[in-house]
Amino acid sequence: MACANCSTSGKSHDNKGCKNSGSCSESSCNKLTVFDWLSNMGLPTGEKMFDCVEVRFKNGRKEFFKNSESLSIAIGDVVATETAPGHDVGIVSLTGELVKVQMKKKNIDYHTAELPKIYRKATQKDIDIWSEARAKEETTQVKAREIAIKLNLEMKISDIEYQGDGSKITFYYTANDRVDFRQLIKEHAQEFKTRIEMKQVGFRQEASRLGGIGSCGRELCCSTWLTDFRSVNTSAARYQQLSLNPQKLAGQCGKLKCCLNYELDTYLDALKGFPDLDTRIKTEKGEAICQKQDIFKGLMWFSYKDNAANWHKLHISQVKEMIALNKQNKLVSALEDYIEETTEEPEVTFNNAMGQESLTRFDQPKRKKKRRNNNQPQQKRKENFSKGNENNKPVKK
């Protein structure tokens, strides 16, 4: 999610070009973008372009504005928008008929809703003031955290956002309990000399604003494409037979991962034909309890209550048959009579004709070292050694 303008330079690792770290006007690095597939199509004769546009601000925050002045606006234009007080500066992210679809998706009636309007295309003076305000955000955030620590407030200021004209600062914070920040606002107003607004966000909203890498190795869903945050319960992990380990089930936000809901409907459909996990079967050898089930293969493992270590694999049709016998007050003879017979799958052999699966096939072969006098047989070396000793004997006078 980075365009050519946001790339980093070798040793300094500083952003080039727009220096917006993914929030620039190019459509290749924006978060939660919508592809305008109607951009190359003209309007029918007599039809006017939809007079509402979608404008994107910092960290993917989007709002809808009315183009009451009928300005010629395209995606990527920097515009000055109406806000209270003053004006804000944002980037147009969507125009045309797709804005109507987005407004309908968010339950906004464009006929009756009193939408703020777009004042003008941003002038160079507007952009300069906006850029100066954005440059002060990092130092302002550090100072705001120092003030919160000094006042012993149990809160975390995760992000701040300057208004386009620099007349207001919005502080986004997370907290477990209610925070009394009346003194905090006084300290902030005295320090920053501007209007202060405190906005509490949830832990998932904080993760979507800041972004990050999940345990799967991909970017967080909430910061790339996920727009609605549905509640996730531990029952979703139980239905999918996942171990209830908080460290594995929790995401970057500390809450249960949103991806636990992705396949939940498929598991619930597969479980409709299964007996309950608490099913008990009465047999002549004793009562049997369910230990495990394979949802997609339709298998269940039962064990006797007295011998929990020995599991017996059964098909759900056989389990239903035994449950029907128990409902008729009849005992099942034994679980062993209903064991699911499995055939061993033949091993797939692979003939390595070219040595393609070898990990060292690209390594250079080792050179053989030349050994001295190793080519002669051992007996011949002994004879040569004895002859040499005889020739070196001293001669008697």
Side-chain angles (χ1 to χ4, degrees):
M1 292 178 61
C3 66
N5 290 339
C6 292
S7 59
T8 55
S9 58
K11 297 181 180 179
S12 60
H13 297 288
D14 295 330
N15 291 334
K16 296 179 180 178
C18 62
K19 298 184 179 181
N20 285 328
S21 301
S23 300
C24 65
S25 60
E26 293 196 11
S27 60
S28 58
C29 65
N30 301 336
K31 290 194 277 188
L32 304 175
T33 55
V34 177
F35 177 68
D36 189 4
W37 53 277
L38 295 175
S39 58
N40 58 347
M41 299 179 66
L43 291 171
T45 55
E47 290 289 332
K48 292 183 179 180
M49 193 173 185
F50 188 58
D51 60 348
C52 294
V53 296
E54 183 186 69
V55 181
R56 177 176 50 82
F57 300 94
K58 184 183 177 183
N59 286 338
R61 179 173 67 89
K62 295 180 179 180
E63 294 181 8
F64 298 101
F65 295 88
K66 198 157 189 176
N67 186 10
S68 57
E69 301 295 331
S70 300
L71 300 174
S72 177
I73 297 175
I75 295 175
D77 290 342
V78 183
V79 294
T81 61
E82 179 185 3
T83 187
H87 69 273
D88 204 351
V89 177
I91 301 168
V92 177
S93 58
L94 197 63
T95 59
E97 294 297 318
L98 290 183
V99 181
K100 189 185 297 183
V101 177
Q102 291 294 98
M103 295 179 70
K104 185 178 180 181
K105 192 176 181 181
K106 296 184 179 181
N107 298 324
I108 300 175
D109 189 2
Y110 57 90
H111 293 292
T112 59
E114 296 181 0
L115 297 176
K117 61 182 181 179
I118 293 178
Y119 286 139
R120 60 186 179 275
K121 284 188 178 182
T123 61
Q124 187 61 41
K125 183 178 179 181
D126 294 331
I127 296 175
D128 292 340
I129 297 173
W130 178 45
S131 301
E132 291 176 3
R134 289 288 298 270
K136 295 188 293 183
E137 288 181 352
E138 186 176 354
T139 56
T140 305
Q141 182 177 355
V142 173
K143 189 63 179 178
R145 287 180 176 178
E146 292 176 356
I147 296 173
I149 293 171
K150 184 180 70 174
L151 297 176
N152 295 323
L153 297 178
E154 295 183 359
M155 60 182 294
K156 176 187 174 184
I157 298 176
S158 59
D159 194 16
I160 68 167
E161 182 179 356
Y162 267 89
Q163 194 169 288
D165 56 357
S167 62
K168 186 178 74 171
I169 310 175
T170 304
F171 293 85
Y172 297 92
Y173 73 96
T174 57
N176 294 320
D177 301 322
R178 185 176 179 181
V179 180
D180 184 9
F181 44 77
R182 287 176 291 183
Q183 183 63 29
L184 179 67
I185 293 178
K186 293 179 182 179
E187 295 279 346
H188 283 179
Q190 186 178 1
E191 177 69 27
F192 305 120
K193 303 293 190 299
T194 185
R195 187 177 179 182
I196 304 299
E197 181 181 352
M198 305 296 295
K199 186 174 289 187
Q200 185 175 4
V201 295
F203 292 99
R204 290 183 176 175
Q205 284 78 8
E206 179 190 16
S208 67
R209 289 182 65 85
L210 301 180
I213 304 297
S215 58
C216 57
R218 300 174 65 89
E219 292 183 75
L220 298 181
C221 298
C222 56
S223 64
T224 51
W225 63 271
L226 190 63
T227 55
D228 57 336
F229 300 99
R230 299 181 182 178
S231 60
V232 185
N233 301 322
T234 54
S235 59
R238 291 194 184 97
Y239 284 130
Q240 300 176 51
Q241 299 181 2
L242 300 174
S243 61
L244 300 179
N245 187 353
Q247 295 179 350
K248 292 185 177 180
L249 297 180
Q252 298 286 347
C253 57
K255 303 295 183 181
L256 291 176
K257 295 178 180 178
C258 297
C259 56
L260 291 175
N261 282 339
Y262 294 169
E263 298 178 354
L264 181 60
D265 294 338
T266 305
Y267 278 88
L268 292 176
D269 291 339
L271 283 170
K272 288 181 180 179
F274 266 78
D276 294 335
L277 195 61
D278 300 332
T279 301
R280 296 175 180 268
I281 299 175
K282 297 178 181 179
T283 65
E284 296 177 356
K285 291 186 176 182
E287 193 176 33
I289 57 177
C290 181
Q291 298 285 357
K292 179 187 170 184
Q293 59 185 8
D294 191 329
I295 298 176
F296 297 106
K297 290 185 178 180
L299 301 175
M300 299 181 73
W301 281 262
F302 281 83
S303 66
Y304 293 108
K305 203 171 184 180
D306 301 332
N307 187 11
N310 190 13
W311 294 6
H312 303 281
K313 183 167 62 173
L314 306 173
H315 197 269
I316 57 172
S317 59
Q318 298 170 334
V319 176
K320 290 179 180 179
E321 183 180 347
M322 289 186 282
I323 293 173
L325 290 175
N326 288 156
K327 288 182 178 179
Q328 298 174 6
N329 296 326
K330 295 180 181 180
L331 296 177
V332 180
S333 58
L335 294 177
E336 290 81 0
D337 299 339
Y338 294 87
I339 291 178
E340 177 75 11
E341 296 181 358
T342 57
T343 58
E344 296 183 358
E345 297 181 359
E347 295 183 0
V348 179
T349 58
F350 176 71
N351 295 326
N352 180 23
M354 303 296 293
Q356 293 181 355
E357 84 281 5
S358 176
L359 296 177
T360 60
R361 63 183 185 271
F362 295 114
D363 297 343
Q364 295 181 356
K366 295 181 179 180
R367 296 181 180 179
K368 294 182 179 180
K369 295 182 180 180
K370 295 182 179 180
R371 296 181 180 179
R372 296 181 180 179
N373 299 328
N374 289 337
N375 296 330
Q376 297 177 350
Q378 187 176 4
Q379 186 65 26
K380 193 170 183 180
R381 289 201 301 270
K382 287 182 179 180
E383 293 176 0
N384 294 336
F385 181 77
S386 59
K387 289 180 180 179
N389 290 338
E390 291 178 358
N391 295 331
N392 294 330
K393 287 181 179 180
V395 179
K396 294 181 180 180
K397 293 181 180 179

